[in-house]
Amino acid sequence: MDKVIRKHDFLKLLFADLKEKYHIIGPTRKGGGTSTYAYPTFDDIDRAIDLEMGYTTTMGSLKKLYFPDNEALYQYQRVGTEVELVNLRQAWDKEKVILGLHPCDISALAVLDKVFGLDQYYTDKRNKSLIIGLTCDSACSRGFCSSVNSGPDAQSGFDLLLTDIGDGYFCRSGSERGERLLSLEYFKAAAPEDIQARAKKLQKTEDELKGRFSLDEVTSALAEKYNDSLWDEFADKCYTCGACNMVCPTCTCFTINEKAKGDHSQGKRVVVWDSCHFERFAQMAGNFNLREEKKSRFKHRIYDKFHFSLVRQGKVSCVGCGRCADFCPSHIDIREAMSRL
Amino acid sequence: MENIYLPEMAVVQEIKEETPQIRTLTIKMAKKQARSVLPGQFMELTIFGSGEFPVSVAAVLNPEATLIQTTIQQVGKATRETARLTPGSKIGIRGPFGNGYPLEAMQGRNICLVTGGVGLAAARQLINYIVANRNRFGEVILLHGARTPGDLIYKDFLFNAEDAHRNNISISVTVDQPDQNWNQTIGPVTELFKKVRVEADNTVAIVCGPGKMMNNVCAGLAQMGLPDDQILLALESRMHCGMGVCGHCAVGYKKVCVDGPIFAYGEVKNNLEKLI
């Protein structure tokens, strides 16, 4: 179902209605003032005025909400000869609405669903989320969503998808929950010119995207070029800092750490994000490392996104958000690797 | 809601010193709830205060599988802590995980087990299964190698000629560095290939040991004419979750914890990233 809402109604009426029922998460600006720099990020939104709907990209992705970067799993305590366990994982007490998620990040949630689908704490959070997406106003500088079919338009994964069409938002529903929302009185029927305005906006964003590559060509080249010298050159530039993994909306590797008291009488086991670029990531007991060479770890990430995921799940797991290139201290741009394959 | 990372409590009932570095623990689960543990599957064992590690189930001692045995070599931070366990120690258990051996496809075949060092532990439950269902398998041979006679595990089993005869299993053992009492084969486990005859088209080989040994053994078996899909390898990897989530054991498009730990040699050979 397609409808239109005036921006004023969106910020005043819809926001107030959502706030009554949901905890609102949306794009907002952090930092500034005495901080070195200000940046848009997803955070709790109390007032509509704090929303920054015109943002291009955020530093971190939304994955932290569903896959915290530091989550205590349980606590153990020795009491005499017994050991007592306490579950420390927490479920959301209130449903959340995620406002303004861009199509690449909406696609990323589908990748997370495949990985964490067996974890009830994860699926509970996902079921308690209402996704109100937002198509991009303009292309971000290093994104390549159109090359990996995750933007600039989204086909699924949202309850509502907004597009800024000037004085209002064009709203498309993607679920029954979304349709029910659209039945509220401040959503008006979409006129043919609104539909045109939406198409025009998406076309403009698509035209602005740079470094487009053919996914079919890339995936078939990858299958052939595992031992290509191209990888030496890229791996040589990589600092193995793991920044790409941290900002990536579909990197989900983690380590379970032991946080024990010195005498082992009490402690917690905690999930923390890990990076496949780190030297000890595939290190086993007995000093045997499956990916000792930096190059093999560099390739592992690229292949995991564009080749292994395709073989396993029939779909590449990179959503083209461009954050890895944005935050790489060595300026490695995945688009360059892809175009040179 | 179920917290899939929360271990089940268990108690160490008995400890057997196999070698100075390797111990076999008999573990009793606190929950009496029946479960099934297939030969070749593994569990995550928690030493509270030190960490968690994956270990293959060496034996299931009761039909409910609430009493199991695992054989642990002390090589890493958490496994080294197993040296401090005593009967009565409380530990945590998660699992079983992994695919296990393809028992149905193995039925009616000759079985040739080739193991090295503590790798024998990963085949131990399978051997028990074969013994319990002996008429479902053809000829069964076990070729085992270790560095020195002092590094041999399960000595009561390896050198019990009477049981081996009764169970109709042929067992040969070799060591790399013999001591003065050693009167059996000397050399790598592939040395034992010279003494056996393997019917290539009707034999399934089971291989578990250090990576280099598995490479050499697979090459030897291939030379004897065994096709890739009849060579099964039990692999190990760094694992944190055991359920295909954490990513540590991902090698190429395979995940050792869910696609393995039992792999056909063909899958290993054709994987872009090296599995062994």
Side-chain angles (χ1 to χ4, degrees):
Chain A
M1 195 194 290
D2 291 344
K3 291 253 178 116
V4 174
I5 187 170
R6 293 195 314 145
K7 279 186 177 167
H8 182 266
D9 292 345
F10 171 82
L11 291 172
K12 287 279 180 301
L13 305 174
L14 179 63
F15 189 88
D17 278 352
L18 289 173
K19 209 183 156 201
E20 221 166 85
K21 196 172 162 208
Y22 299 96
H23 183 150
I24 299 178
I25 306 277
T28 187
R29 187 158 288 263
K30 287 268 161 172
T34 52
S35 308
T36 317
Y37 63 107
Y39 53 91
T41 185
F42 284 98
D43 205 346
D44 300 343
I45 304 287
D46 254 350
R47 308 172 303 172
I49 193 176
D50 295 331
L51 277 172
E52 187 171 311
M53 295 293 275
Y55 80 102
T56 47
T57 181
T58 57
M59 174 147 58
S61 77
L62 194 72
K63 77 175 171 186
K64 196 171 164 176
L65 190 64
Y66 299 105
F67 167 43
D69 56 348
N70 194 320
E71 183 186 23
L73 297 174
Y74 64 89
Q75 177 183 293
Y76 57 85
Q77 188 152 16
R78 290 181 193 277
V79 184
T81 59
E82 294 299 312
V83 177
E84 280 171 9
L85 301 184
V86 183
N87 181 8
L88 294 179
R89 297 189 77 188
Q90 283 170 352
W92 290 348
D93 47 7
K94 198 170 173 185
E95 292 196 19
K96 291 189 203 276
V97 52
I98 318 297
L99 265 181
L101 201 59
H102 283 168
C104 57
D105 284 340
I106 294 175
S107 301
L109 291 180
V111 178
L112 299 190
D113 287 348
K114 281 193 189 128
V115 177
F116 295 113
L118 54 96
D119 182 357
Q120 291 178 10
Y121 280 83
Y122 173 84
T123 51
D124 181 63
K125 284 184 199 171
R126 287 284 286 125
N127 293 336
K128 285 179 181 164
S129 302
L130 184 83
I131 307 289
I132 301 187
L134 172 69
T135 60
C136 299
D137 246 2
S138 54
C140 49
S141 59
R142 295 184 184 86
F144 49 95
C145 54
S146 63
S147 300
V148 290
N149 307 320
S150 69
D153 199 0
Q155 311 303 330
S156 60
F158 53 85
D159 296 293
L160 272 193
L161 183 64
L162 314 181
T163 303
D164 189 333
I165 50 167
D167 53 354
Y169 290 110
F170 185 96
C171 311
R172 176 162 287 174
S173 63
S175 72
E176 270 179 41
R177 288 212 291 178
E179 271 185 32
R180 275 201 299 278
L181 259 184
L182 287 187
S183 66
L184 291 168
E185 74 280 2
Y186 34 78
F187 288 99
K188 310 291 181 209
E193 56 267 31
D194 296 327
I195 298 174
Q196 257 176 17
R198 178 184 196 269
K200 216 174 135 191
K201 197 67 178 273
L202 290 174
Q203 191 58 51
K204 172 190 160 278
T205 307
E206 178 147 13
D207 293 343
E208 284 170 8
L209 285 163
K210 293 182 200 80
R212 197 186 152 88
F213 56 83
S214 152
L215 190 59
D216 286 347
E217 279 173 30
V218 159
T219 50
S220 50
L222 277 171
E224 306 295 319
K225 294 195 172 173
Y226 186 75
N227 293 316
D228 202 279
S229 59
L230 172 77
W231 301 119
D232 295 285
E233 196 186 311
F234 277 98
D236 198 40
K237 282 168 74 182
C238 175
Y239 295 129
T240 69
C241 69
C244 52
N245 300 105
M246 303 302 139
V247 297
C248 175
T250 67
C251 269
T252 52
C253 287
F254 62 83
T255 284
I256 306 179
N257 275 347
E258 187 83 22
K259 305 256 176 186
K261 268 192 172 174
D263 61 354
H264 296 190
S265 64
Q266 196 194 58
K268 287 180 207 169
R269 287 191 60 79
V270 182
V271 161
V272 294
W273 290 357
D274 204 346
S275 158
C276 57
H277 283 300
F278 294 167
E279 192 175 358
R280 286 176 53 80
F281 185 79
Q283 166 96 54
M284 290 189 264
N287 250 350
F288 181 60
N289 194 335
L290 284 170
R291 287 184 289 276
E292 199 166 8
E293 258 186 285
K294 183 165 89 170
K295 181 173 71 174
S296 63
R297 299 197 298 277
F298 183 85
K299 282 196 287 190
H300 180 76
R301 180 164 185 274
I302 302 281
Y303 272 75
D304 192 58
K305 299 288 179 213
F306 290 93
H307 182 67
F308 303 149
S309 50
L310 191 67
V311 176
R312 271 188 94 85
Q313 290 153 342
K315 202 170 183 309
V316 297
S317 62
C318 171
V319 295
C321 70
R323 287 186 181 98
C324 52
D326 278 342
F327 289 96
C328 179
S330 189
H331 307 296
I332 296 172
D333 191 330
I334 209 165
R335 291 174 302 180
E336 191 197 334
M338 294 302 151
S339 62
R340 283 183 49 195
L341 269 169
Chain B
M1 237 181 297
E2 193 202 349
N3 180 351
I4 49 175
Y5 302 103
L6 200 66
E8 187 185 320
M9 293 304 300
V11 60
V12 177
Q13 211 168 51
E14 213 183 293
I15 297 172
K16 183 166 184 281
E17 307 283 343
E18 302 282 354
T19 78
Q21 296 302 317
I22 303 174
R23 302 176 114 190
T24 294
L25 309 182
T26 304
I27 299 164
K28 192 181 176 189
M29 318 280 191
K31 270 198 245 162
K32 297 206 169 54
Q33 192 190 331
R35 72 206 73 208
S36 86
V37 182
L38 298 169
Q41 284 191 305
F42 68 96
M43 287 188 155
E44 287 275 354
L45 211 138
T46 315
I47 309 294
F48 296 107
S50 305
E52 211 174 27
F53 56 86
V55 63
S56 50
V57 178
V60 175
L61 302 179
N62 63 353
E64 302 80 42
T66 52
L67 198 61
I68 60 158
Q69 276 182 337
T70 63
T71 299
I72 299 156
Q73 185 167 19
Q74 293 150 26
V75 279
K77 183 178 162 239
T79 51
R80 267 199 291 270
E81 281 301 310
T82 59
R84 306 218 299 206
L85 293 175
T86 54
S89 292
K90 297 285 190 306
I91 58 171
I93 288 273
R94 290 193 295 121
F97 300 120
N99 56 358
Y101 290 99
L103 298 171
E104 232 155 78
M106 288 159 63
Q107 291 221 11
R109 304 286 193 108
N110 297 336
I111 306 292
C112 172
L113 302 120
V114 191
T115 55
V118 78
L120 176 56
R124 189 68 180 93
Q125 200 199 342
L126 176 67
I127 297 171
N128 291 348
Y129 176 87
I130 292 171
V131 168
N133 302 277
R134 189 62 189 86
N135 57 355
R136 293 191 207 156
F137 298 91
E139 202 181 316
V140 178
I141 54 176
L142 167 64
L143 312 176
H144 179 66
R147 215 173 305 160
T148 71
D151 291 315
L152 286 166
I153 61 168
Y154 305 150
K155 291 187 204 68
D156 323 350
F157 161 74
L158 287 176
F159 301 111
N160 190 332
E162 211 175 291
D163 272 5
H165 180 74
R166 193 177 53 240
N167 295 329
N168 191 15
I169 295 181
S170 142
I171 301 177
S172 310
V173 183
T174 177
V175 296
D176 294 322
Q177 297 148 25
D179 59 12
Q180 51 211 34
N181 300 321
W182 187 254
N183 57 9
Q184 306 199 21
T185 313
I186 299 166
V189 74
T190 40
E191 200 62 26
L192 296 171
F193 284 161
K194 295 174 186 160
K195 302 186 175 176
V196 295
R197 201 183 52 82
V198 175
E199 247 180 79
D201 50 348
N202 196 34
T203 298
V204 173
I206 310 290
V207 187
C208 188
K212 201 174 159 202
M213 166 260 178
M214 288 205 275
N215 271 319
N216 295 339
V217 167
C218 289
L221 290 166
Q223 226 166 42
M224 286 192 254
L226 246 75
D228 290 347
D229 60 341
Q230 278 168 239
I231 305 175
L232 302 176
L233 291 87
L235 300 189
E236 62 168 353
S237 168
R238 183 182 192 126
M239 296 174 191
H240 284 257
C241 69
M243 298 170 281
V245 188
C246 76
H248 283 273
C249 70
V251 194
Y253 50 86
K254 300 284 178 193
K255 285 186 175 168
V256 177
C257 69
V258 286
D259 301 321
I262 313 302
F263 290 97
Y265 184 45
E267 293 175 87
V268 173
K269 237 176 40 177
N270 299 328
N271 204 17
L272 278 184
E273 287 184 344
K274 270 188 126 134
L275 274 153
I276 49 171

